Amino acid sequence: SDKNREYLDDIHQSGQHLLELINDILDASAIEAGALELHEENVNLTDVIEASIRLITPRAKNGMVNVSSSLDPDIPLIYADPRRVKQVILNLLSNAVKFTQEGGEVSVSSWLNDDGSVAIATDDTGVGMNAKEIEKALSKFGQVDSGLDRKHEGTGLGLPLTTGLMERHGGTLEIKSKKGHGTLVTVTFPKE
């Protein structure tokens, strides 16, 4: 019956959410213990970004948020763990979509810096954060209460995990945000 299908969907979604939560906790613990192993190979960053955009598009459409991209076609392959790079990009896109109001915009861009490092940025027209909220968002299990964040369940591990994954790759994560005016998050992979 339709009601049973609805119950099955709820159970499945709850199970998926629990699995994501457990995986995030395990990853965060492994990073903290210095035990997270990277399985690095040559990675086409544009392919990973485009795949991540395709995965986040249904959630964006559901929230009536437009996602666009501007990707530098001349970015060389990077030597990184493709699964972890995708996890970084998905975490950034997920947060951008989650904290952007209906009718808002999320853009993803990538470029090669003069020093040979590669940067990826997500920029949104969302609710933004002040300095104290950025600090909280970067702490483990720290969730910034925006009123919009309850649309999608969260663990409060997305940004700390993303920061840890970038550090594990020798890279950085930088957040620029203004309350009520959106957030720009830039991750940079070093030349080496």
Side-chain angles (χ1 to χ4, degrees), residues 15 30 35 71 76-77 131 145 153 165 171:
L71 308 177
L77 296 177
D145 185 17
E153 294 290 329
L165 290 171

Side-chain angles (χ1 to χ4, degrees), residues 111-187:
W111 63 91
L112 184 63
N113 289 313
D114 292 338
D115 65 1
S117 62
V118 175
I120 306 164
T122 57
D123 194 6
D124 66 62
T125 60
V127 296
M129 298 178 283
N130 60 34
K132 195 172 196 168
E133 290 171 329
I134 291 172
E135 187 179 325
K136 184 175 183 179
L138 288 169
S139 68
K140 285 190 182 101
F141 301 106
Q143 293 181 311
V144 179
D145 185 17
S146 71
L148 290 177
D149 57 343
R150 297 300 152 227
K151 281 185 188 176
H152 303 287
E153 294 290 329
T155 61
L157 288 173
L159 284 176
L161 185 55
T162 301
T163 301
L165 290 171
M166 287 307 300
E167 288 171 353
R168 190 73 182 89
H169 279 93
T172 60
L173 179 141
E174 178 187 9
I175 299 175
K176 292 181 181 174
S177 188
K178 186 175 179 189
K179 193 76 171 168
H181 295 281
T183 301
L184 171 67
V185 181
T186 306
V187 292

